[in-house]
Amino acid sequence: MKQEIAYITSLIGDPVRTKILWTLLDGRAYTATELAICADTSPQNISMHLGKLIQANLLVAEPQGRHKYYRFSRPEVAYAIEAIGNLIPDEKHRKIVGNTNNAAIKHCRTCYDHLAGEVGVSITAELIQQKFIEPEGKTYLVTEKGSAFFSEFDIDTDELKKSRRIFAKPCLDWTERKPHLAGALGAAFLEKMLLSDYFRKTKDSRAIVITAKGQQQLYDRFKIST
């Protein structure tokens, strides 16, 4: 076990591979050329790093036309990378989140395929407060009241539970250092909010824009002012 952990930490500890993994946290799939630009390295070097990450089953490559697109092999990889951000010492953490350049990311962003940041954490806290979900160990349970709430977004929680993916779990938010909702339920909830035009993704960033409609919904449903 110790050898396996050492192998994984040595892989993700490399500066280039860290940049690759951090870039993929926005939930998109990238070509090798795009990742080389994000990691500020050469196409030849990026191929070597991608090969190692694929061999370790942290990434997968999906051919599409003339290109291959790289993404996380499973959601748990994204959760682990996000969680590492919580190991940043408090003083450095305060400087990072206090930097005005990070304001949009801190406020509302994607964490792979679910919602994070101040807004994601606030929504999760309200879901618990209003007894739509309940913490149970390392997971969340959806109450009968919660099933009715999520059905308003056309989310069938019973169907989601049949997925091989973890249904609902807390993911420790690296900027807020409090949990936000992850798992199949968190992904489905963000997807419906995007389809309803409450949220919009931004180009080349994990930041999420909250529309006027979304601001109204957040206040009406959760008394959250953005």
Side-chain angles (χ1 to χ4, degrees), residues 182-202:
L185 182 60
F189 193 44
L190 175 57
E191 181 183 10
K192 294 299 182 181
M193 299 284 264
L194 289 167
L195 289 173
S196 299
D197 197 36
Y198 298 160
F199 297 151
R200 293 176 188 170
K201 290 185 176 182
T202 55

Side-chain angles (χ1 to χ4, degrees), residues 82 107-111 114-121 173 180:
E82 175 86 2
H107 182 59
C108 191
R109 68 179 183 276
T110 55
C111 173
H114 55 272
L115 195 66
E118 292 174 334
V119 174
V121 167
D173 194 286
H180 56 246

Side-chain angles (χ1 to χ4, degrees), residues 78-203:
Y79 302 156
I81 300 304
E82 175 86 2
I84 288 173
N86 290 283
L87 300 179
I88 299 171
D90 288 344
E91 186 176 346
K92 289 184 178 180
H93 180 265
R94 284 193 294 270
K95 288 181 179 179
I96 292 170
V97 299
N99 188 324
T100 54
N101 292 330
N102 296 325
I105 289 291
K106 181 180 185 297
H107 182 59
C108 191
R109 68 179 183 276
T110 55
C111 173
Y112 189 45
D113 60 0
H114 55 272
L115 195 66
E118 292 174 334
V119 174
V121 167
S122 295
I123 288 175
T124 302
E126 279 298 314
L127 289 172
I128 295 171
Q129 178 66 30
Q130 297 186 37
K131 301 190 183 304
F132 295 145
I133 61 175
E134 295 178 345
E136 183 176 88
K138 296 181 179 180
T139 64
Y140 288 131
L141 298 179
V142 174
T143 64
E144 185 175 340
K145 183 181 178 182
S147 294
F149 168 78
F150 287 111
S151 69
E152 295 177 21
F153 291 89
D154 197 26
I155 297 174
D156 188 331
T157 54
D158 289 332
E159 281 300 313
L160 282 182
K161 289 175 184 176
K162 297 176 183 177
S163 168
R164 291 192 300 175
R165 183 175 178 180
I166 294 175
F167 170 61
K169 60 167 285 182
C171 180
L172 190 57
D173 194 286
W174 76 269
T175 54
E176 297 303 295
R177 299 201 167 179
K178 296 177 182 178
H180 56 246
L181 176 63
L185 182 60
F189 193 44
L190 175 57
E191 181 183 10
K192 294 299 182 181
M193 299 284 264
L194 289 167
L195 289 173
S196 299
D197 197 36
Y198 298 160
F199 297 151
R200 293 176 188 170
K201 290 185 176 182
T202 55
K203 186 178 180 181

Side-chain angles (χ1 to χ4, degrees), residues 24-36:
L24 291 171
L25 271 178
D26 69 2
R28 298 181 177 97
Y30 287 81
T31 65
T33 300
E34 291 169 332
L35 289 171

